[in-house]
Amino acid sequence: MTIDTEPLKSVSDIERTTLMTSLPGRIATMFGGRRWRSLAPLAVLIVLCVLIAIANPNFIELRNLVRLANSAAVPLTLAMGLTFIILMGSIDLSIEGTLAVSAMVVVLLATNDSNGNDYGWLAVLAAIAAGITMGLVSGLVQTMLRIPSFMATLGMWFIGLGLSVYMLAGSAIRLNDASIRDLALTRFLGLPLAVWVATGAFLLAATIQYHTRLGRHILAIGGDEDVAKLSGVNVTRVRITAFALAGLFFGVAGVLAAAQLGQSHAVIGDGRLFAAVTAVVVGGTALTGGEGGVVNTLIGVLIVTVLANGMILLGISPYIQQTVQGLMIIAAVALSLDRVRLRIVK
């Protein structure tokens, strides 16, 4: 009797072969795999700009470009904070609640039409501190109580909205402090100050990710938390710090939103969560963590902003715009996932 001594393929080898021979695997191989995925967002942004400019030349007018930059200021600032959380493989759903609290604090403490407060830029510092506190609490709840970040931050979202509704008595309160309103109304080198603040937020985020131990540890946790622990990373401390850092960016975004609108109300953050998550994912940062970064997110914010602006210029219905945005985030997630490495999807 002859025994076939050819070694059997392992289950992982079979799975890998099956995945690679599937249509997504062949497409990834055709375009260079991971390298293609890293360059795809930039390519999409360039193609998108060219197509919209051809369809409507008004797109490249200076006035419209300034409008684009201004509308991207708040989403970019929010997305910078969210990027650090997603890089860890977690999620932060508290964006709208934190932004509402920060906007509420700055309006109520600065000159307004509801009370006699006039704390000027101390109100801005208090609003940012409120954002950091919200993020810190989210981090503590997630790590100390061992509650998944999805549920911990979902709770903080509604806590923030509840506080905002209570403190504003369910109404909109105007921001009358001229110096804070200047963030939206005053221009420097042709751009509103809010754009420069958002640029500063991006530079701060890039410095933290690429030039600090915290940034390296966040990436390490997202790549493989067990390996990070074995390497001496204090995972609990890094997670808490990352959530507090995200709260800082959310707080700054709350101040910018209040300055742009000239008021604060309970739903000032409406839709901001979807926009931020879309920007991060479209930019190429993987929801599974450990891959991507703030530069990817910058490109993602520009893609989302350019697409929205282009659809308005082309007269596309708002309902169709929402459909396009939904399809875009599904496509972005599909392209960003490494199907060879990701064997199980839950």
Side-chain angles (χ1 to χ4, degrees):
M1 181 177 63
T2 303
I3 300 176
D4 187 0
T5 57
E6 181 181 353
L8 297 175
K9 288 185 177 182
S10 66
V11 174
S12 60
D13 288 338
I14 295 173
E15 290 175 345
R16 187 178 300 272
T17 302
T18 303
L19 287 167
M20 283 304 294
T21 54
S22 64
L23 180 58
R26 291 200 299 270
I27 293 175
T29 302
M30 184 186 305
F31 290 101
R34 182 173 296 183
R35 180 176 177 81
W36 162 250
R37 289 198 306 273
S38 65
L39 295 176
L42 181 59
V44 169
L45 176 61
I46 294 173
V47 171
L48 196 59
C49 290
V50 171
L51 292 178
I52 295 175
I54 292 173
N56 191 332
N58 293 331
F59 173 76
I60 56 176
E61 288 186 354
L62 180 60
R63 180 174 59 181
N64 187 62
L65 295 178
V66 172
R67 188 183 300 117
L68 266 174
N70 192 44
S71 60
V74 173
L76 177 61
T77 307
L78 288 171
M80 288 297 104
L82 183 61
T83 299
F84 290 111
I85 305 302
I86 292 181
L87 279 175
M88 291 193 301
S90 300
I91 190 65
D92 193 336
L93 302 181
S94 70
I95 285 179
E96 294 185 11
T98 303
L99 188 146
V101 167
S102 299
M104 174 266 293
V105 169
V106 71
V107 169
L108 288 181
L109 293 183
T111 306
N112 60 80
D113 64 352
S114 177
N115 57 45
N117 290 333
D118 183 15
Y119 292 100
W121 280 81
L122 287 177
V124 172
L125 295 179
I128 296 174
I132 295 173
T133 302
M134 292 279 287
L136 184 63
V137 172
S138 293
L140 289 171
V141 169
Q142 195 260 325
T143 56
M144 299 304 179
L145 300 182
R146 299 185 64 80
I147 296 176
S149 59
F150 181 93
M151 295 307 300
T153 56
L154 181 65
M156 291 304 298
W157 176 4
F158 288 104
I159 289 173
L161 287 179
L163 286 173
S164 181
V165 170
Y166 176 77
M167 295 301 297
L168 297 173
S171 60
I173 297 179
R174 292 182 58 188
L175 174 64
N176 295 328
D177 190 302
S179 63
I180 299 177
R181 285 282 284 149
D182 281 345
L183 289 172
L185 302 177
T186 301
R187 297 192 177 192
F188 176 70
L189 297 179
L191 294 174
L193 292 180
V195 176
W196 295 107
V197 172
T199 302
F202 166 72
L203 294 176
L204 174 61
T207 300
I208 292 173
Q209 181 181 346
Y210 302 115
H211 300 288
T212 68
R213 180 181 297 179
L214 175 62
R216 293 191 295 271
H217 287 177
I218 287 174
L219 273 174
I221 292 173
D224 193 318
E225 186 169 328
D226 291 332
V227 173
K229 286 180 180 179
L230 293 174
S231 301
V233 175
N234 188 326
V235 173
T236 298
R237 184 170 61 189
V238 171
R239 283 191 174 277
I240 294 173
T241 304
F243 275 100
L245 179 64
L248 182 149
F249 286 102
F250 300 162
V252 173
V255 173
L256 294 180
Q260 288 182 341
L261 292 175
Q263 63 179 2
S264 178
H265 49 80
V267 292
I268 191 172
D270 234 18
R272 302 288 191 179
L273 173 63
F274 177 80
V277 173
T278 301
V280 175
V281 174
V282 167
T285 297
L287 287 172
T288 49
E291 185 177 344
V294 295
V295 173
N296 300 73
T297 297
L298 172 62
I299 296 173
V301 170
L302 292 177
I303 290 175
V304 172
T305 307
V306 165
L307 182 62
N309 179 265
M311 288 191 292
I312 292 173
L313 290 176
L314 298 177
I316 296 176
S317 165
Y319 305 107
I320 300 299
Q321 293 179 30
Q322 293 176 350
T323 302
V324 171
Q325 290 173 341
L327 292 172
M328 181 175 62
I329 192 170
I330 293 173
V333 173
L335 290 173
S336 67
L337 288 177
D338 188 345
R339 289 171 177 78
V340 175
R341 299 173 58 191
L342 190 66
R343 295 181 297 171
I344 300 175
V345 178
K346 296 183 179 181

